Amino acid sequence: MTQPDVGETRVFTPATYATGGRGAFQLDPEFLTDPERVLPLIGTWTLDALDAVSVLFREELERREKAELVEVLRAIAVRIPGLPVVAVKLATNPNYEEGVYWADTTLWLHHQDGAETEYLLPDEVGPTEDFEALVERFRDLLADYSRADHPLDGASLVFEVESGTFTVTPPPLD
């Protein structure tokens, strides 16, 4: 591969950066979270540029939180005794300071044979420390998911274990 001539314009696509191609770079997260280093860098940016970057970071955060929520829900579902769980349904809880959230105490399990059972997540002591850590992480991620997109009171959230998809059913009309 030949090097570009001096003054030659090189165009790098996002894929070039993401795949580690020529010109790839990686920013140190510690740099981006240090106000003393970041504020001088972004001090000249327009409001539109700041907004675009904040949207990009927020969307990536929400994407990763949702992906981790999928993995944690799958891990919880396989540890629940009984018939295999194919879907997990969550209801809403309107009693949070910040509004309506998905309830993090009760899971409605849909089993392979079509049965639905109620499963109460442990408050403090789980069957194992590993399970307790999973439940704690589930609650944190579910709160973040709720905060990012507040559900309507009375709605249902169904998580399909195999596909990893979430389906929100609106509350019944009064």
Side-chain angles (χ1 to χ4, degrees), residues 19-101:
T19 60
R22 194 172 110 205
F25 70 93
Q26 183 175 4
L27 290 175
D28 178 11
E30 289 180 23
F31 176 86
L32 290 174
T33 57
D34 181 357
E36 288 183 18
R37 296 195 295 189
V38 171
L39 290 176
L41 175 70
I42 64 173
T44 60
W45 291 12
T46 65
L47 291 177
D48 287 342
L50 287 170
D51 183 52
V53 169
S54 71
V55 167
L56 180 74
F57 276 83
R58 174 59 50 199
E59 286 174 351
E60 180 62 11
L61 175 67
E62 290 172 5
R63 184 193 66 76
R64 289 189 191 187
E65 285 173 340
K66 189 172 180 181
E68 188 176 345
L69 180 58
V70 165
E71 293 308 312
V72 168
L73 268 170
R74 282 180 174 154
I76 288 173
V78 299
R79 285 174 174 79
I80 295 173
L83 293 171
V85 176
V86 295
V88 177
K89 184 169 84 174
L90 302 167
T92 55
N93 182 346
N95 298 321
Y96 285 87
E97 291 176 6
E98 299 175 46
V100 177
Y101 274 38

Side-chain angles (χ1 to χ4, degrees), residues 66 69 73 87-92 102-103 107-108 110 138 142 145-146 151 154-160 165-170:
K66 189 172 180 181
L69 180 58
L73 268 170
V88 177
K89 184 169 84 174
L90 302 167
T92 55
W102 295 112
L107 304 177
W108 296 94
H110 296 254
F138 162 73
L142 190 63
Y145 183 70
S146 296
S156 299
L157 175 68
V158 177
F159 167 70
E160 300 290 334
T165 59
F166 292 94
T167 305
V168 176
T169 305

